[in-house]
Amino acid sequence: MGDAPANRAAELRELLERYNHAYYVLDDPLVPDAEYDRLFNELKDLEQARPELADPDSPTQRVGAKPLDAFSQVAHRVPMLSLENAFSDDELVDFDRRVRERLNTPGPITYCAEPKLDGLAVSLRYESGALVQAATRGDGATGEDITHNIRTIRAIPLRLRGAGVPAILEVRGEVYMPRDGFERLNEKRRNQDQKTFANPRNAAAGSLRQLDSRITAERPLTMYCYGVGEVSDEFTASRYSELIQRLGEWGLRISPLMEPIEGLQGCIDYYNRLAEQRDGLDYDIDGIVYKVDDLDQQRRLGFVSRAPRWAIARKFPAQEQLTRLLAIDVQVGRTGTLTPVARLEPVEVAGVTVTNATLHNEDEIRRKDVRIGDLVVVRRAGDVIPQIVGVAPDRRPDDAQTFVFPDHCPECGSDVIRDSDQAVVRCSGGLFCPAQRKEAIKHFASRRAMDIDGLGDKLVAQLVERELIHSPADLYALSAEQLAGLERMGEKSAHNLVAALEKSKQTTLERFLFALGIREVGETTAKTLAKHFRDLKAVETADQEALIAVPDVGPIVADHVHTFFRQPHNLEVVQQLLAAGIHWPEIPQDPAADQPLAGKTIVITGTLSRPRNEIKEQLEALGAKVTGSVSKKTDYLLAGEEAGSKRDKAEKLGVEIVGEGWLGEWGA
Ligand code: JCF
C-alpha cells in the first residue's frame, strides 16, 4: 500500500513543474492560471499538513527563504568569459577576416547569432540534474554565491528533465527583467515613494544582490541560457547551436531568436533584422552576439585574455544618452493632472531624436534631484515614452535651478490641488481650464469615443482658443462656414467635418458614457455601466450604493460617476448633446453575445495608439485571454506598427493577424 498523500504530493509536483516549464520557459501555458493556483494550493496544504513530505525543490519553495548574513565567494572552475565588442560593420568585417585567417578557410563561416541581453551573467551548477549552486560572473574567475536568489526564479529549473543530462553541468546565461515587469516594478516603487531603478539591467542586478531572497522572489526575473562551463565528459556536441538546443530539451530557457547564419552577410542581415525588431521585443538588448557555430573551430580559435576569439558582440546604438535639460514644462491632462515634462537639447537615443521626456511627478524630480541646466540621462526603450533616469551630478553647472512646482495651473491660473495619497497634482479649474477643455473635447471626439473623423488636435486647439466652442456640445452647432474660416481648413474638409459630426450622432450608450470623460471611467467601465443600467437616465440618477453594486465598480469609480452627474454644468452639456440629436440603440435586457471573445487567446505586439494594458483589459472584458507569446494555441495576433518577431512567428504558424481597427468590431 502506498502513502496516498505522499503519492499525491509527488504527482502535484510533477504537474506543477510541467506547467511551470510551459509557462515560464516555453512562454506557452498549458492550463489557465486558476488551475495552476488550485494545484499549487493543494500541494501547499499537503506539505503543511504533512511536514515530512516537504521537499526543498518543490515548486512551493520558490518564495524565498531567511536572509543570509553575507554572500560567499564561488571560484568558477571554468572561467566566465566576456565578449569583445564591435561598434561598426567594419569592426565586424575585421572579426570575420581574423576568424577565417586563423582557421585558414576562405569560405564563409557558419556563425550562430543571438540578441545580446542587457542583464546579469550567471553560472548555474547542476549535479545529477539538480541545481546545487548559482553564482554571479564577478571578475570571471570568482563570483558571488546567489543560489538562494536564483532558486526563486521560476524560469530556472531546480531539476533538469529529459534524457542524457550530464552528471555535472554548469550552464551560463543572462538573468534579466522584461520591460513590462520593470515598468510595473518602477510604478509600484514610485507609488510607495521609493527610488526607481534607472533601467531593467540595474533592476535585475539589484534584485540578485539581495541577501533576502523573499525580495528577489517578488521581482519579475527570467533568464536565457547561452553557454556552458564545466561539463562532465559524457556530454558531446559538435555545434554551439546544437549544444544550446540540448539545454532547451533539459528544461532550460533559450532564446527563440538564436539561429545559425552564413558568413559575414548573414551577420549583417541578422543585425538589420533585429535592429528593426528591437523596439518590439519585451526586453532590452544592447547588441547581437555572433559565435562560430562549429565547436571544433571554437577550440582551434581559443582565447585572448578573457575573451574568446570565436565570438563578438556587435553593439546597437545605446538606449541611454546624456543631454542638457533645458526646461521643465508642466502639461495639463484631460482630468487636470499636471505632469512635468522635460525639454531637452535634442539627442539621438537608439536611432530616434528625443527632445522631450517624462519626469512623472514632483516627487520623482525631488528624489532624482533633477535641476534645470543639468546634464541628464535619457533612456528610450521600446514604445515607452522617453524617461529621465538620472543626472550627472558632477557635471552640474553652477547656475542649475531647482524646479518649483507651480501653485497655479499654467493654463488657466486656477489653484492646484494635491491628492493626499498620491503624488498627483491637479488643476482645480475643471472645464474652465482651456487645457482640460481641449483634452476633454479631444477625448470626446476620439476614435473609441464618438469617433469624429477629421477633428484633429490642432483644430480642437483653434476652436477652443477662438472660443468657438466651450464644451463638446458646441461642436454640433458648428457650421461649415465657421469651420472653413479656420487655419488649414478648406471648404472640403469643413464639409467633411460637418458630415462626420452628423454621423457621430448615431452611437452607443457605452461610447457616449466613455466620451463624457468621467474620471476613472475607461471603455471597460463605460461598457459595464451601459450593460448594467441600459439607460442614460438610470446612470445619471444612480446613487453611490447602486453604482457600487455594479460588478467591477468600486467606491472610487462610483464616487466619480456620482459626482459627475451632480454637477449642473455636466447635466447641461449632456442635455445639449441629446438635444443635438445624439442617440443610440436600446440595449436588450440580456445581451446574447455576452462575451464575444470567450475562449479566444490573443497576443498583443508592436506599437499601438494606446497603452497595451488598456487594450488588454478590453480584450479580457470581451472574454479573451491575453498571453505574452505566440504559439499554436494563439487565435489572434493584434499587431501594431513595427511588430517584429511575434508577427513573424504568427505568420509562420498561420495565426490570424489583426490590426487595432479590429477591436472596433467588438465595440471596443
Ligand atoms: O546576452 C548576453 N549578454 C551574452 C553574453 C550572450 C552570450 O552568448 C555571451 C555573453 C558573454 C560571454 N557569451 C559569452 C561567451
Side-chain angles (χ1 to χ4, degrees), residues 80-84 112 114-121 137 172-175 224-227 240 244 258 284-291 303 306-308 310-313:
M80 285 186 78
L81 304 169
S82 53
L83 294 168
E84 196 199 323
C112 186
E114 68 193 64
K116 183 167 181 294
L117 290 146
D118 213 359
L120 225 78
R137 198 183 94 88
R172 269 87 196 259
E174 201 85 353
V175 169
Y224 277 138
C225 301
Y226 54 64
Y240 171 73
I244 296 299
M258 190 178 273
D284 278 8
I285 61 175
D286 58 359
I288 304 296
V289 182
Y290 302 109
K291 291 180 175 173
F303 311 88
R306 285 222 201 78
W310 40 263
I312 196 156

Side-chain angles (χ1 to χ4, degrees), residues 393-406:
D394 61 318
R395 309 263 294 268
R396 171 164 288 163
D398 292 337
D399 59 353
Q401 294 204 338
T402 311
F403 173 68
V404 184
F405 212 90

Side-chain angles (χ1 to χ4, degrees), residues 179-248:
R179 278 181 199 151
D180 60 347
F182 164 73
E183 296 297 337
R184 260 185 283 119
L185 175 65
N186 263 357
E187 192 59 39
K188 200 166 97 193
R189 291 175 72 86
R190 213 171 276 128
N191 291 337
Q192 295 174 350
D193 235 350
Q194 286 175 299
K195 214 170 162 213
T196 51
F197 290 106
N199 52 48
R201 203 203 106 81
N202 289 7
S207 302
L208 284 184
R209 219 184 289 115
Q210 297 291 333
L211 289 167
D212 187 343
S213 55
R214 288 167 299 194
I215 297 174
T216 314
E218 303 272 296
R219 302 282 171 82
L221 297 171
T222 184
M223 178 181 184
Y224 277 138
C225 301
Y226 54 64
V228 295
E230 190 187 1
V231 190
S232 41
D233 290 340
E234 71 270 26
F235 180 69
T236 54
S238 59
R239 301 203 151 261
Y240 171 73
S241 48
E242 178 194 337
L243 182 159
I244 296 299
Q245 219 50 54
R246 299 283 282 286
L247 297 182

Side-chain angles (χ1 to χ4, degrees), residues 24 83 91 107 173 189 200 203 205 302 311 406 429 474 511 547 567 592 618 648 662:
Y24 290 103
L83 294 168
E91 290 179 24
R189 291 175 72 86
D474 296 338
R511 273 175 177 270
L547 287 162
Q567 308 307 307
Q618 274 171 36
D648 297 344
W662 174 80

